[in-house]
Amino acid sequence: ARCTITDLAERVGKSPGTITRFCRALGFTGYAELRVALAEEAGRAAGNAEGTRWASDIGGEVRPGDPAERLVGVVLGTVTRALR
């Protein structure tokens, strides 16, 4: 969440355009929105560690017909946890 799009692109060996397309494929408008979502998830995790209960979809089941927002929430939560 702290990298610029250029920094991230260099780290993963892809172009900034590829990063943007990846973000859009996940349902975000672009990299900035993904960064915000990652920061929010980090805040949830920190809150959970401190005893504050935040709702989370990490490890949730996704079913056919679930809204895209649910899928994005589950995937983002899982990926964020895996990156940590």
Side-chain angles (χ1 to χ4, degrees), residues 4-75:
T4 66
I5 192 169
T6 304
D7 292 339
L8 179 61
E10 288 175 5
R11 288 182 183 193
V12 299
K14 301 295 178 185
S15 72
T18 299
I19 302 298
T20 299
R21 286 188 296 277
F22 174 73
C23 294
R24 289 182 180 157
L26 291 176
F28 297 102
T29 58
Y31 183 64
E33 189 175 348
L34 173 65
R35 288 178 70 182
V36 169
L38 287 170
E40 287 174 349
E41 186 58 36
R44 280 189 199 93
N48 285 337
E50 296 170 5
T52 305
R53 302 302 298 165
W54 285 56
S56 177
D57 287 329
I58 295 174
E61 186 176 331
V62 179
R63 298 185 179 124
D66 280 352
E69 292 82 14
R70 170 127 175 91
L71 174 62
V72 169
V74 171
V75 171

